[in-house]
Amino acid sequence: MLRKLIKARRTVTLHRVFLVGVIALVGMLALAQSSRTLSSGIPVIGTLNADTPAQIYTFTASEGDRASLAAATSDGMALTILLTDAEGNVIAQNTDTLDSGQAVIPGTELPASGTYYVTVFIAAGLESSAEGEFTVTLLLTPATQSGAQGGQTEPLEPTEDAETTAQPEATTQPEVTAEATVAVTPTPAAVTPETFSIGQTILSNGGIEINLRWNSSDDLNLQVRDPSGETLFWDSRTTTNGGTFGFDVNGLCEVVTATDNVETASWPTGPVVTGSYEILVYYRQACVGSTPVDFSLDVTVDGVALPTVTGNVAPPLPGTDSVFITSFDLSEDGTAQLREGGPYIDTRVLDVPVADLLEQEAQPLTLETPVRGVITSEQAYQTYRYNGTSGDTISVSVSRETGSLDTLLLVLDSAGNVVDGNDDVEVAVNTNSAINLLLLPATDTYTIVVTRYGKLVGGTEGTYNLLVSGQSNLVLPQQVVDLALPQGDIQITLTWNTAADLRLLVRDPALNSVFNDEPTSPTGGRLQAVGNLNCNLATTPIPVSYIYWPQGLLRIGSYEVDVLHRSECNDPTPVQFNLYVSVLGQLVFTQSGTLTLGQRYLTSFNILDTAGETVFTDGGLIGDSSTIAYQDQLASAVSITPEQRVTGTITTENTFDLYTFDGQAGDVVTVSMGTTSGNLDTLLYLIGPSGIEIAANDDSNESTDSLIADILLTEEGTYTVIATRFGVNFGGTTGAYNLLLRVDAP
């Protein structure tokens, strides 16, 4: 379209005449009650041309409300936005004299209740296109919210039910490194679930820009979560509120650059949500070599640069994430304050003294009674009390209600031990948290802790709903009872919720396995039901697999239960499964979990006597050496030399031993581990000087002994041997072993 240009006429008189005419037009239209009504947070598109030199909109508000307005265009028009009351009195106005494409009226307090008029027109006296489209947006903050969280200007009045926390004055902040984390004792929340809200403001001098910078060939990822819960990263490049993500540098190591790498997330000038913006730096993968990477984060808000954040992230171990987290708070007045950050720590590791959580005043919980809570950066932990009885089974769930909150759930006993925990119900799908069918180990007062991903250094905030449900006595699902499966001294039942093919395998104390390829064992174990085998859908209401030992065949000892996700069977839904174990007719044990294709879940239980007394171990996914937390014990590892035979014992308390030896590049190494007593199913790992797993072996030569044979070493240094058992912490076998190292020099 050919654009007509208005010549520059910079006479004050002409501008005033034009403005007076517009105000008069507004006054006349006020009598007509224009039907074009603005709603807070909803953009409206308009058109200006020679026939329509101005567009007028209305909204209603109450005395003391604050109105922010933005008119934006990409058609080259120099816009003016005007706010008047119903009598035509000017409340505020702004003209785009800098050719930014946007005219902005920041938060303006309205003097009275009633109807207000917003007029958008082409500015007189400026060189500009004479026609085009624009977008006008109103953000209205009610006066009643002037003290609530997330974009309010006055502090909450203290009440008897809620304590307030004084906010420190803004100061120059030091650079934040990944090694320096915050250690802050939790304090009572200054905001209640009823007062928490996400605010809005208009940034007039520039939007929000976050730049991640590094100099290496590795694939680092920037991710930013805004206060409303929307996310920008390489696989989510836009948000509904205007956020955009730039180029994915070194993405998947396909096109690699080594210097001046920058990834950017940004929101444009104009309306944005206020509150906490969480910034995450992921070390996704090493593209060349494998070393820690230094990075810096530059954050600019409304044209003001915040202090640079510096840190480093290490290459991630298999099955884990290497993440640095920080955040900044955006206020309604457009100012921002950076918070300290640090590396992500494991779900079950606390970054506050456990005594502070146990001593914190906590709300009591009862079954089936939901409660609401709120997590903010000032209150990263909230605690609750539940009085449980040994043998009870409970389920605990916490789900986000408002805000960006990424929940994390922990259950502590009265001694402060972590009984169980959960971050995400479904990783990368559902960031709510749940612990299903938790068997309480003792009669005790349990502390249920609600926090967020990253805990103190996290940046998500919001309200949540918490529910504890359960039953005093364990019972099988009625759908399983209705199958009338044969009864036995030992019964293991597996159910799940999809068309997937799951394999149930149970290994008895003599290391005999019962599963679909070996449906019976010498000790009497029998496979009675197999759900969805080879993707042939079960005819039962839910898929069920069932292994049992008939009556009179109870055998004392340790049993391992292994669940393998063999095939999705054209159903990619994440599998939720439940395990039920009965001994001598009494259901004594349940566990549940989530599986994706190829994953294996292992748990074990030990029958102690002929009366059926049984103890259980926590179950979990089994993987490679990265799942073993051995690094802290390396200092006490036993140094061994070639041809030196050493002995050790694996027990339920000592699940692995560490040995080290000095290797030279070109050496050919063989390590063997054999059981000498007990039912130990050995497992070996060989770790290189850089901490990378070089080799592993579970079973060798059709036995449960292990052998790592003829491994060529490629570097000089100290090598580590991990001697353990199948399943490591989740396994059930124990016994003595001997270990032998052989080195053939080049």
Side-chain angles (χ1 to χ4, degrees), residues 120-185:
V120 181
F121 56 92
I122 298 174
L126 297 177
E127 186 172 326
S128 169
S129 172
E131 60 183 49
E133 286 189 345
F134 65 89
T135 299
V136 60
T137 305
L138 164 72
L139 299 180
L140 193 63
T141 304
T144 56
Q145 293 184 2
S146 61
Q149 167 112 353
Q152 291 134 359
T153 57
E154 299 295 331
L156 285 170
E157 291 295 325
T159 67
E160 294 181 359
D161 298 322
E163 298 182 32
T164 58
T165 302
Q167 298 297 317
E169 295 183 354
T171 58
T172 302
Q173 300 184 32
E175 291 186 343
V176 183
T177 67
E179 292 78 14
T181 59
V182 193
V184 180
T185 299

Coordinates of all heavy atoms in Angstrom, one line a residue, residues 120-185:
V120 N -7.2 7.4 20.3 CA -6.0 7.2 19.6 C -6.0 7.9 18.3 O -7.0 7.7 17.5 CB -5.7 5.7 19.4 CG1 -4.4 5.4 18.7 CG2 -5.7 4.9 20.7
F121 N -5.0 8.8 18.0 CA -5.0 9.5 16.7 C -3.6 9.7 16.3 O -2.6 9.5 17.1 CB -5.8 10.8 16.9 CG -5.3 11.7 17.9 CD1 -4.3 12.7 17.7 CD2 -5.8 11.6 19.2 CE1 -3.9 13.5 18.7 CE2 -5.4 12.5 20.2 CZ -4.4 13.4 20.0
I122 N -3.4 10.1 15.0 CA -2.1 10.4 14.5 C -1.6 11.7 15.0 O -2.3 12.7 14.9 CB -2.1 10.3 12.9 CG1 -2.5 8.9 12.5 CG2 -0.8 10.7 12.4 CD1 -2.7 8.8 11.0
A123 N -0.4 11.7 15.5 CA 0.1 12.9 16.1 C 0.3 14.0 15.1 O 0.8 13.8 14.0 CB 1.4 12.6 16.9
A124 N -0.1 15.2 15.4 CA 0.1 16.4 14.6 C 1.6 16.9 14.7 O 2.2 16.8 15.8 CB -0.9 17.5 14.9
G125 N 2.1 17.4 13.6 CA 3.4 18.0 13.7 C 4.6 17.1 13.6 O 5.7 17.5 13.7
L126 N 4.3 15.7 13.3 CA 5.4 14.8 13.2 C 5.3 14.1 11.9 O 4.2 13.8 11.4 CB 5.3 13.7 14.3 CG 5.5 14.2 15.8 CD1 5.3 13.1 16.7 CD2 6.9 14.9 15.9
E127 N 6.5 13.7 11.3 CA 6.5 13.0 10.0 C 6.0 11.6 10.3 O 6.5 10.9 11.2 CB 7.9 13.0 9.5 CG 8.0 12.3 8.1 CD 9.3 12.5 7.5 OE1 10.0 13.5 7.7 OE2 9.7 11.6 6.7
S128 N 5.0 11.2 9.6 CA 4.3 9.9 9.9 C 3.5 9.4 8.7 O 3.1 10.2 7.8 CB 3.3 10.2 11.1 OG 2.5 9.1 11.3
S129 N 3.3 8.1 8.7 CA 2.3 7.6 7.8 C 0.9 8.1 8.1 O 0.6 8.3 9.3 CB 2.3 6.0 7.8 OG 1.3 5.5 7.1
A130 N 0.1 8.3 7.1 CA -1.3 8.8 7.3 C -2.3 7.8 7.6 O -3.5 8.2 7.9 CB -1.6 9.7 6.1
E131 N -2.0 6.5 7.5 CA -3.0 5.5 7.7 C -2.3 4.2 8.1 O -1.2 4.0 7.8 CB -3.9 5.3 6.4 CG -3.1 4.9 5.2 CD -4.0 4.7 4.0 OE1 -4.7 5.7 3.7 OE2 -3.9 3.7 3.3
G132 N -3.1 3.4 8.7 CA -2.6 2.1 9.2 C -3.4 1.5 10.3 O -4.3 2.1 10.8
E133 N -3.0 0.3 10.8 CA -3.6 -0.4 11.9 C -2.8 -0.1 13.2 O -1.6 0.1 13.1 CB -3.7 -1.9 11.7 CG -4.8 -2.2 10.7 CD -5.1 -3.7 10.6 OE1 -4.2 -4.5 11.2 OE2 -6.1 -4.2 10.1
F134 N -3.5 -0.2 14.3 CA -2.8 -0.1 15.6 C -3.5 -1.1 16.6 O -4.6 -1.6 16.3 CB -2.8 1.3 16.2 CG -4.2 1.8 16.5 CD1 -4.8 1.6 17.7 CD2 -5.0 2.4 15.5 CE1 -6.1 2.0 18.0 CE2 -6.3 2.9 15.8 CZ -6.8 2.7 17.0
T135 N -2.8 -1.3 17.7 CA -3.4 -2.1 18.8 C -3.4 -1.3 20.0 O -2.4 -0.7 20.4 CB -2.6 -3.4 19.0 OG1 -2.6 -4.2 17.8 CG2 -3.2 -4.2 20.1
V136 N -4.6 -1.2 20.7 CA -4.6 -0.5 22.0 C -4.9 -1.5 23.1 O -5.8 -2.4 22.9 CB -5.7 0.6 21.9 CG1 -7.1 0.1 21.7 CG2 -5.7 1.4 23.2
T137 N -4.2 -1.3 24.2 CA -4.3 -2.3 25.3 C -4.5 -1.5 26.6 O -3.8 -0.5 26.9 CB -3.1 -3.2 25.5 OG1 -2.9 -3.8 24.2 CG2 -3.3 -4.2 26.6
L138 N -5.5 -1.9 27.4 CA -5.7 -1.3 28.8 C -5.3 -2.3 29.8 O -5.7 -3.5 29.7 CB -7.2 -1.0 28.9 CG -7.7 -0.7 30.4 CD1 -7.2 0.6 30.9 CD2 -9.2 -0.7 30.4
L139 N -4.6 -1.9 30.8 CA -4.3 -2.6 32.0 C -4.9 -1.9 33.2 O -4.5 -0.7 33.5 CB -2.9 -2.9 32.2 CG -2.1 -3.7 31.1 CD1 -0.7 -3.8 31.5 CD2 -2.8 -5.0 30.9
L140 N -5.9 -2.5 33.9 CA -6.6 -1.8 35.0 C -6.3 -2.5 36.3 O -6.7 -3.7 36.4 CB -8.1 -1.7 34.7 CG -8.9 -0.8 35.6 CD1 -8.5 0.7 35.4 CD2 -10.4 -1.0 35.2
T141 N -5.7 -1.8 37.3 CA -5.4 -2.4 38.6 C -6.4 -1.8 39.6 O -6.4 -0.6 39.9 CB -4.0 -2.1 39.0 OG1 -3.1 -2.6 38.1 CG2 -3.7 -2.8 40.4
P142 N -7.3 -2.7 40.1 CA -8.3 -2.1 41.1 C -7.6 -1.6 42.3 O -6.6 -2.0 42.8 CB -9.2 -3.4 41.4 CG -9.0 -4.3 40.3 CD -7.5 -4.1 39.8
A143 N -8.3 -0.6 42.9 CA -7.7 0.1 44.1 C -7.7 -0.9 45.2 O -6.8 -0.8 46.1 CB -8.6 1.3 44.5
T144 N -8.6 -1.9 45.3 CA -8.6 -2.9 46.4 C -7.4 -3.8 46.4 O -7.2 -4.5 47.3 CB -9.9 -3.7 46.3 OG1 -10.0 -4.3 45.0 CG2 -11.1 -2.8 46.5
Q145 N -6.6 -3.8 45.2 CA -5.5 -4.7 45.2 C -4.2 -3.9 45.3 O -3.1 -4.4 45.1 CB -5.4 -5.4 43.8 CG -6.5 -6.4 43.6 CD -6.4 -7.1 42.3 OE1 -5.4 -6.9 41.6 NE2 -7.3 -8.0 42.0
S146 N -4.3 -2.7 45.8 CA -3.1 -1.8 45.9 C -2.0 -2.4 46.7 O -0.8 -2.0 46.6 CB -3.4 -0.4 46.3 OG -4.0 -0.5 47.7
G147 N -2.3 -3.4 47.6 CA -1.2 -3.9 48.4 C -0.9 -5.4 48.2 O -0.1 -5.9 48.9
A148 N -1.6 -6.0 47.2 CA -1.4 -7.4 47.1 C -0.2 -7.7 46.2 O 0.4 -6.9 45.6 CB -2.6 -8.1 46.5
Q149 N 0.3 -9.0 46.3 CA 1.5 -9.4 45.6 C 1.3 -9.3 44.1 O 0.3 -9.5 43.5 CB 1.7 -10.9 45.9 CG 2.8 -11.5 45.0 CD 4.0 -11.9 45.8 OE1 4.1 -11.5 46.9 NE2 4.9 -12.6 45.1
G150 N 2.4 -9.0 43.4 CA 2.5 -9.1 41.9 C 1.9 -7.8 41.3 O 1.0 -7.9 40.5
G151 N 2.5 -6.7 41.5 CA 2.1 -5.5 40.8 C 1.2 -4.6 41.6 O 0.3 -4.0 41.0
Q152 N 1.4 -4.3 42.8 CA 0.6 -3.4 43.6 C 1.6 -2.5 44.3 O 2.7 -2.8 44.6 CB -0.2 -4.2 44.6 CG -1.3 -5.0 43.9 CD -1.5 -6.4 44.3 OE1 -0.7 -6.8 45.2 NE2 -2.4 -7.1 43.7
T153 N 1.0 -1.3 44.7 CA 1.9 -0.2 45.1 C 1.9 0.0 46.5 O 2.9 0.6 47.0 CB 1.4 1.1 44.4 OG1 0.0 1.3 44.7 CG2 1.5 0.9 42.9
E154 N 0.9 -0.4 47.3 CA 0.9 -0.2 48.7 C 1.0 -1.5 49.5 O 0.5 -2.5 49.1 CB -0.4 0.6 49.1 CG -0.6 1.9 48.5 CD 0.5 2.9 48.9 OE1 1.0 2.8 50.0 OE2 0.8 3.8 48.1
P155 N 1.7 -1.5 50.6 CA 1.9 -2.7 51.4 C 0.5 -3.1 52.0 O -0.3 -2.3 52.3 CB 2.9 -2.4 52.5 CG 2.8 -0.9 52.6 CD 2.4 -0.4 51.3
L156 N 0.4 -4.4 52.2 CA -0.8 -5.0 52.9 C -0.8 -4.5 54.3 O 0.2 -4.4 55.0 CB -0.8 -6.5 52.9 CG -1.1 -7.2 51.6 CD1 -0.8 -8.7 51.8 CD2 -2.6 -7.0 51.3
E157 N -2.0 -4.2 54.8 CA -2.2 -3.8 56.2 C -2.0 -5.1 57.0 O -2.6 -6.1 56.7 CB -3.5 -3.2 56.4 CG -3.7 -1.8 55.8 CD -2.8 -0.8 56.5 OE1 -2.6 -0.9 57.7 OE2 -2.3 0.1 55.8
P158 N -1.2 -5.1 58.1 CA -1.0 -6.3 58.9 C -2.3 -6.7 59.6 O -3.1 -5.8 60.0 CB 0.1 -5.9 59.9 CG 0.0 -4.4 60.0 CD -0.4 -3.9 58.6
T159 N -2.5 -8.0 59.7 CA -3.7 -8.5 60.4 C -3.3 -9.5 61.4 O -2.1 -9.9 61.5 CB -4.7 -9.2 59.4 OG1 -4.0 -10.4 58.9 CG2 -5.0 -8.3 58.2
E160 N -4.2 -10.0 62.2 CA -3.9 -10.9 63.3 C -3.5 -12.3 62.6 O -2.9 -13.1 63.3 CB -5.1 -11.1 64.2 CG -5.4 -9.8 65.0 CD -6.6 -10.0 65.9 OE1 -7.1 -11.1 65.9 OE2 -6.9 -9.1 66.7
D161 N -4.0 -12.5 61.4 CA -3.8 -13.9 60.8 C -2.6 -13.9 59.9 O -2.2 -15.0 59.5 CB -5.1 -14.3 60.0 CG -6.3 -14.4 61.0 OD1 -6.1 -14.8 62.1 OD2 -7.4 -14.0 60.5
A162 N -2.1 -12.8 59.5 CA -1.0 -12.9 58.5 C 0.1 -11.9 58.9 O -0.1 -10.7 59.2 CB -1.5 -12.5 57.1
E163 N 1.3 -12.4 59.0 CA 2.5 -11.5 59.3 C 3.0 -10.9 58.1 O 2.9 -11.5 57.0 CB 3.6 -12.4 60.0 CG 3.1 -13.0 61.3 CD 4.3 -13.7 62.0 OE1 5.4 -13.3 61.8 OE2 4.0 -14.7 62.7
T164 N 3.6 -9.7 58.2 CA 4.2 -9.1 57.0 C 5.7 -9.1 57.2 O 6.2 -9.1 58.3 CB 3.7 -7.7 56.9 OG1 4.0 -6.9 58.1 CG2 2.2 -7.6 56.6
T165 N 6.4 -9.2 56.0 CA 7.9 -9.2 56.0 C 8.4 -7.9 55.4 O 8.0 -7.6 54.3 CB 8.4 -10.4 55.3 OG1 7.8 -11.6 55.9 CG2 9.9 -10.5 55.3
A166 N 9.2 -7.2 56.1 CA 9.7 -5.9 55.6 C 10.6 -6.2 54.4 O 11.4 -7.2 54.4 CB 10.5 -5.2 56.6
Q167 N 10.5 -5.5 53.3 CA 11.3 -5.6 52.1 C 12.5 -4.7 52.2 O 12.4 -3.5 52.5 CB 10.5 -5.3 50.9 CG 9.3 -6.2 50.7 CD 9.7 -7.6 50.5 OE1 10.6 -7.9 49.8 NE2 9.0 -8.5 51.2
P168 N 13.7 -5.2 51.9 CA 14.9 -4.4 52.0 C 14.9 -3.4 50.9 O 14.3 -3.6 49.8 CB 16.0 -5.4 51.8 CG 15.4 -6.5 51.0 CD 14.0 -6.6 51.5
E169 N 15.6 -2.3 51.1 CA 15.8 -1.3 50.1 C 16.6 -1.8 49.0 O 17.5 -2.7 49.2 CB 16.4 0.0 50.6 CG 15.5 0.7 51.7 CD 16.1 2.0 52.1 OE1 17.3 2.2 51.8 OE2 15.5 2.7 52.9
A170 N 16.4 -1.3 47.7 CA 17.2 -1.8 46.6 C 18.6 -1.4 46.7 O 18.9 -0.2 47.1 CB 16.6 -1.2 45.3
T171 N 19.5 -2.3 46.5 CA 20.9 -2.0 46.6 C 21.6 -2.6 45.4 O 21.1 -3.4 44.7 CB 21.6 -2.6 47.9 OG1 21.3 -4.0 47.9 CG2 20.9 -2.1 49.1
T172 N 22.8 -2.1 45.2 CA 23.6 -2.7 44.1 C 24.0 -4.1 44.5 O 24.5 -4.4 45.6 CB 24.9 -1.9 43.9 OG1 24.6 -0.6 43.7 CG2 25.8 -2.5 42.8
Q173 N 23.7 -5.1 43.6 CA 23.8 -6.5 43.9 C 25.1 -7.0 43.3 O 25.5 -6.6 42.2 CB 22.7 -7.3 43.3 CG 21.3 -6.8 43.9 CD 20.2 -7.7 43.4 OE1 20.4 -8.9 43.1 NE2 19.1 -7.1 43.2
P174 N 25.8 -7.9 44.0 CA 27.1 -8.5 43.4 C 26.7 -9.5 42.4 O 25.6 -9.9 42.2 CB 27.7 -9.1 44.7 CG 26.5 -9.5 45.5 CD 25.5 -8.4 45.3
E175 N 27.7 -9.8 41.6 CA 27.6 -10.9 40.6 C 27.3 -12.2 41.4 O 27.8 -12.5 42.4 CB 28.8 -11.1 39.8 CG 29.0 -9.9 38.8 CD 30.2 -10.2 37.9 OE1 31.0 -11.1 38.1 OE2 30.3 -9.5 36.9
V176 N 26.4 -13.0 40.8 CA 26.0 -14.3 41.4 C 26.7 -15.4 40.6 O 26.7 -15.4 39.4 CB 24.5 -14.4 41.3 CG1 24.0 -15.7 42.0 CG2 23.8 -13.2 41.9
T177 N 27.3 -16.3 41.4 CA 27.9 -17.5 40.7 C 27.2 -18.7 41.1 O 26.5 -18.8 42.1 CB 29.4 -17.6 41.2 OG1 29.4 -17.9 42.6 CG2 30.1 -16.3 40.9
A178 N 27.5 -19.8 40.3 CA 26.8 -21.1 40.5 C 27.3 -21.7 41.8 O 26.6 -22.5 42.4 CB 27.1 -22.0 39.4
E179 N 28.4 -21.3 42.3 CA 29.0 -21.9 43.5 C 28.4 -21.3 44.8 O 28.5 -21.8 45.9 CB 30.5 -21.8 43.6 CG 31.2 -22.6 42.5 CD 31.2 -22.0 41.1 OE1 30.8 -20.8 41.0 OE2 31.4 -22.7 40.2
A180 N 27.8 -20.1 44.7 CA 27.3 -19.4 45.8 C 25.8 -19.4 45.9 O 25.1 -18.8 45.1 CB 27.8 -17.9 45.8
T181 N 25.3 -20.2 46.8 CA 23.9 -20.4 46.9 C 23.4 -19.7 48.2 O 24.2 -19.3 49.1 CB 23.5 -21.9 47.0 OG1 24.1 -22.5 48.1 CG2 23.9 -22.6 45.8
V182 N 22.1 -19.5 48.2 CA 21.5 -18.7 49.4 C 21.2 -19.7 50.5 O 20.8 -20.8 50.2 CB 20.2 -18.0 48.9 CG1 19.8 -17.0 50.0 CG2 20.4 -17.4 47.6
A183 N 21.4 -19.3 51.7 CA 21.0 -20.1 52.9 C 20.2 -19.3 53.8 O 20.7 -18.5 54.6 CB 22.2 -20.7 53.6
V184 N 18.9 -19.3 53.6 CA 17.9 -18.5 54.3 C 17.0 -19.3 55.0 O 16.4 -20.2 54.5 CB 17.2 -17.6 53.3 CG1 16.2 -16.6 54.0 CG2 18.2 -16.7 52.4
T185 N 16.8 -19.0 56.3 CA 15.8 -19.7 57.1 C 14.4 -19.3 56.6 O 14.1 -18.1 56.5 CB 16.0 -19.4 58.6 OG1 17.3 -19.7 59.0 CG2 14.9 -20.1 59.4

